[in-house]
Amino acid sequence: MKALLLSVVGGLIFGASVPPCKWSPMAYLGLALLLIANFEPIRWEQRTLCAILWGLAASVLPIAFSVRIAKIQDATYPVDFGTCVVTLAPFFLLALVVGIVASVSGKLWQTGFWRGFGWILGVSVLGVIAERASFVLPMPVQLAITQTPLRFSVLPLTSIFGIWFASWFVWFVAALIAEMVASVKVNWVGIGIALLAILASQLVLMRAFGLHSDESRTLKVALVQNYTDNPLSMAAKVRNADIIVLPELALGQETESMRQALSETAAKTGALIVAGLAESDPPYNAAVLVSPGGKELLRHRKVHLFGAERWHFRKGSEVKAHGEIGIAICFDTVFPDVVRELVRQGAKIIAVPNTDPPSIGYLLHHLHAAFLPIRAIENEVAILKADLTGLSQAIEPDGDIVAEAPLGKPVVLETKLKVIREPATTPFTRFGDWFVYFCAIMAAVLLISGFAGRVRKNESRPVPEERAAVCDSQNFGQVASKGDDEPIGNGGAQGS
């Protein structure tokens, strides 16, 4: 009962950090309570129930805040069974991934396999590994998005370690809190490492500002959020923009007349245009970059398909940039590989035609939007996301959201955007997900040391003295007590 209560309370607290909620530190406390719940001597099925209750409780505040924001902005959304499933799906997947780590780490703590700082470090690296493994799920689970509001205190180090650092930090601080509560002892080593990580983030941030303060230029950009209106008609009204981005599949099925209309719009505006469309033979979810002269400069086919798209489209396999512009379509930006590869090829601006699926209160819009500032910081690249129904965003290389469109309204979002003059070469851009492999090595080292410790402990235990009966090979066994020489029995001959 205690474990279940801790799980529900922990989930509610953790939900206060999930977008659109912005209380990032609540992620540490909420996750810590689930870890503490798994310290209890409960069965595996009870641990599973704790995880499910924690995940469902974590959905309460994000959904409530999403509904409130949509109501304030007078944005409508469908409420049916399918929409409810899509809305709750991220939290069931969250419960699965976090629940596995919490259950395993709780059992290891109970048995004494890991304790103290070793347990804290083990939980944090197992958390990162589990999040990377979640890439095989319908939606990946990354606790890092709870830290997006902490752009100046946690996220700068993602340019070195990737999004994995922000996730690791959540797991580490949560495990630190849980271990100190359970042991009723301050873990100064863990506290020191957490403070050192924050200090290192500040140093990286200061260095980034120093390097790029005089190395950026400004572009005028326009994001077309057409909702139910004609996207090309809205784009045609834009003047003096350097680049215009339209949503995913905004132009519908690719036809000759559609291509002609797109070329005419590009010529009328004098801007580069990125627009989403559907190829038919073979079927691809694609986007094109068109010059002001109407020439197609780049075509990108969506690499990471979402949900039912897998039944209708083929998966793209090639990622290319054209000069300083790259294209990533919607779900491509939830994974680090596409944006990173585009920046490796010299892209300074990532155009993102986007259409997030309907959800209660536009919750999935908020969850997806939390990834993009991290993608920008990881690679020091500007990101332009044009969504069909809401939260179109212009994001600078330092993760600053300079413009954001409201929900459920047709709007052309025009703004100025800083772009780094030279292509970025952050350690993460160059070396990729190296921190995940480092966590895997650390987990192996901790497991080996844990096994070695148990072997040494077992070998050092004294061998207990054994009492054995004195047996005669030709007579019945006789048992003698200390100080008593009389035989207890002799085949039943005595006393007869």
Side-chain angles (χ1 to χ4, degrees), residues 2-24:
K2 179 182 176 182
L4 296 178
L5 181 61
L6 284 170
S7 300
V8 172
V9 174
L12 290 170
I13 294 173
F14 183 87
S17 69
V18 177
C21 304
K22 297 183 178 181
W23 301 310
S24 298

Side-chain angles (χ1 to χ4, degrees), residues 148-490:
T148 300
L150 299 181
R151 185 167 62 92
F152 295 114
S153 61
V154 175
L155 296 189
L157 279 178
T158 59
S159 64
I160 299 174
F161 301 93
I163 193 172
W164 311 109
F165 170 76
S167 288
W168 173 86
F169 190 80
V170 175
W171 284 103
F172 184 86
V173 176
L176 175 62
I177 295 171
E179 203 280 331
M180 288 195 298
V181 170
S183 63
V184 197
K185 185 168 59 177
V186 177
N187 193 305
W188 292 110
V189 175
I191 292 174
I193 289 178
L195 294 176
L196 185 63
I198 295 175
L199 176 61
S201 290
Q202 300 310 302
L203 294 175
V204 170
L205 184 65
M206 291 170 62
R207 180 179 178 275
F209 277 138
L211 285 175
H212 302 307
S213 58
D214 298 323
E215 298 180 7
S216 62
R217 60 191 176 92
T218 302
L219 297 179
K220 184 180 178 183
V221 300
L223 308 176
V224 176
Q225 182 176 292
N226 60 294
Y227 198 48
T228 57
D229 291 1
N230 186 304
L232 291 179
S233 298
M234 294 176 69
K237 299 176 183 178
V238 176
R239 294 292 179 269
N240 303 318
D242 295 296
I243 182 170
I244 303 172
V245 184
L246 277 61
E248 179 182 10
L249 300 174
L251 304 183
Q253 201 70 38
E254 184 176 21
T255 62
E256 186 61 38
S257 60
M258 181 272 290
R259 286 194 293 267
Q260 181 64 30
L262 178 59
S263 298
E264 291 174 357
T265 303
K268 187 174 181 179
T269 60
L272 294 165
I273 295 183
V274 176
L277 52 84
E279 296 182 20
S280 56
D281 190 20
Y284 284 104
N285 183 340
V288 294
L289 170 66
V290 177
S291 71
K295 180 182 178 182
E296 181 178 313
L297 304 175
L298 177 67
R299 181 175 289 250
H300 172 74
R301 294 177 173 127
K302 191 172 183 178
V303 175
H304 298 284
L305 300 177
F306 179 79
E309 283 184 323
R310 297 178 179 89
W311 304 336
H312 303 291
F313 297 110
R314 291 187 183 181
K315 177 182 177 180
S317 58
E318 194 173 28
V319 177
K320 281 187 177 181
H322 176 79
E324 63 180 19
I325 299 177
I327 301 174
I329 301 175
C330 195
F331 205 45
D332 284 342
T333 58
V334 175
F335 301 85
D337 57 337
V338 174
V339 174
R340 185 176 67 233
E341 179 57 31
L342 290 170
V343 176
R344 279 178 178 170
Q345 295 181 23
K348 306 172 193 175
I349 305 166
I350 307 298
V352 183
N354 198 82
T355 300
D356 287 322
S359 56
I360 303 297
Y362 292 81
L363 176 65
L364 262 61
H365 286 66
H366 294 289
L367 295 178
H368 186 192
F371 278 96
L372 298 184
I374 299 176
R375 292 282 98 91
I377 296 171
E378 280 179 330
N379 303 282
E380 290 186 354
V381 65
I383 294 179
L384 301 173
K385 182 188 76 170
D387 191 275
L388 177 67
T389 55
L391 287 189
S392 296
Q393 295 173 307
I395 304 171
E396 292 187 338
D398 63 355
D400 185 25
I401 302 173
V402 297
E404 186 173 85
L407 297 166
K409 291 179 177 62
V411 63
V412 177
L413 193 65
E414 297 185 66
T415 188
K416 292 182 178 179
L417 187 75
K418 289 183 180 178
V419 177
I420 294 176
R421 292 183 184 276
E422 297 299 325
T425 53
T426 68
F428 176 74
T429 303
R430 289 197 296 267
F431 304 116
D433 297 332
W434 68 270
F435 188 62
V436 178
Y437 306 121
F438 174 78
C439 287
I441 293 171
M442 283 299 302
V445 170
L446 289 169
L447 288 171
I448 291 171
S449 64
F451 280 117
R454 299 202 74 170
V455 169
R456 287 194 300 269
K457 187 175 180 181
N458 290 335
E459 288 177 347
S460 64
R461 288 177 180 173
V463 179
E465 296 183 1
E466 297 181 355
R467 287 186 174 183
V470 178
C471 300
D472 191 327
S473 58
Q474 296 181 354
N475 300 315
F476 290 98
Q478 299 178 344
V479 180
S481 60
K482 189 174 181 180
D484 185 3
D485 295 328
E486 283 290 326
I488 292 176
N490 189 16

